[in-house]
Amino acid sequence: MFEPIAKTIILKDEVATEAIGERLSALVKSPLVVFLEGDLGVGKTTLVRGFLRGLGYQGNVKSPTYTLVEIYPFAEWVVYHFDLYRIAHPEELEFIGIREYFEEKTIALVEWPQQGTGFLPDADLKLGLKVVGEERALTLEFLTERSYTLCNQILGLSQHEF
């Protein structure tokens, strides 16, 4: 059985936050479910922007706070960026057909996953951001076998890369 592994990386600024997102995108394969946790304004959408830039997306990347989900189609898969901050009850996700988004050729990036407890699949990777002085601490938790290869590649990174 796979034992979860965690690693914390200090990110100096917004550029570093976007850079780790870009680096992660080069390593992941679908299907993958990623939970993004942290307070408002901590950089979750910035990390997603870097992730999408790393896949080659050049358009505007905004938080789907009011739309709940932004869809980014790519040749090999579709990336869904969810923001569940405004969900009052997890049951609301049934009305948007949440289960249909989690298919074989998808990568789901979910902000505020606790708002969807009981209606979201388990995460493969959990990214927790928090403010530490002027910097951000990013804790990466590798939770499944699927994320094991990603874990090995990330754990080999040195701090100065971000």
Side-chain angles (χ1 to χ4, degrees):
M1 186 171 126
F2 180 77
E3 290 293 323
I5 299 168
K7 166 84 172 170
T8 299
I9 299 172
I10 299 300
L11 305 170
K12 296 183 187 298
D13 53 22
E14 185 175 327
V15 172
T17 303
E18 200 166 319
I20 188 70
E22 186 171 340
R23 179 66 187 240
L24 285 169
S25 74
L27 303 175
V28 301
K29 304 288 183 244
S30 72
L32 190 72
V33 178
V34 179
F35 287 175
L36 296 118
E37 299 178 340
D39 293 335
L40 284 171
V42 77
K44 295 180 299 290
T45 299
T46 300
L47 196 145
V48 170
R49 182 182 324 116
F51 187 91
L52 292 167
R53 295 279 186 261
L55 294 176
Y57 182 76
Q58 297 300 313
N60 186 32
V61 176
K62 59 183 175 142
S63 177
T65 301
Y66 294 101
T67 59
L68 296 180
V69 62
E70 292 289 333
I71 302 168
Y72 301 92
F74 293 92
E76 295 182 41
W77 52 66
V78 176
V79 175
Y80 295 108
H81 177 202
F82 295 93
D83 185 331
L84 306 183
Y85 181 74
R86 298 200 178 278
I87 296 292
H89 301 286
E91 297 84 24
E92 292 177 41
L93 295 175
E94 284 297 316
F95 297 118
I96 68 165
I98 193 73
R99 297 178 203 280
E100 295 173 19
Y101 287 98
F102 297 92
E103 298 175 348
E104 187 65 28
K105 298 247 181 217
T106 64
I107 295 172
L109 308 172
V110 185
E111 296 186 35
W112 302 96
Q114 67 275 17
Q115 301 297 96
T117 300
F119 290 85
L120 294 173
D122 292 335
D124 297 298
L125 176 62
K126 189 184 301 182
L127 305 176
L129 281 160
K130 68 180 179 179
V131 175
V132 179
E134 296 293 316
E135 301 171 324
R136 302 290 189 262
L138 171 65
T139 299
L140 301 101
E141 292 181 64
F142 306 93
L143 304 171
T144 64
E145 287 285 346
R146 193 177 322 168
S147 66
Y148 184 73
T149 301
L150 178 63
C151 167
N152 284 336
Q153 293 168 330
I154 291 293
L155 290 178
L157 298 177
S158 65
Q159 186 65 48
H160 72 272
E161 291 186 58
F162 306 104

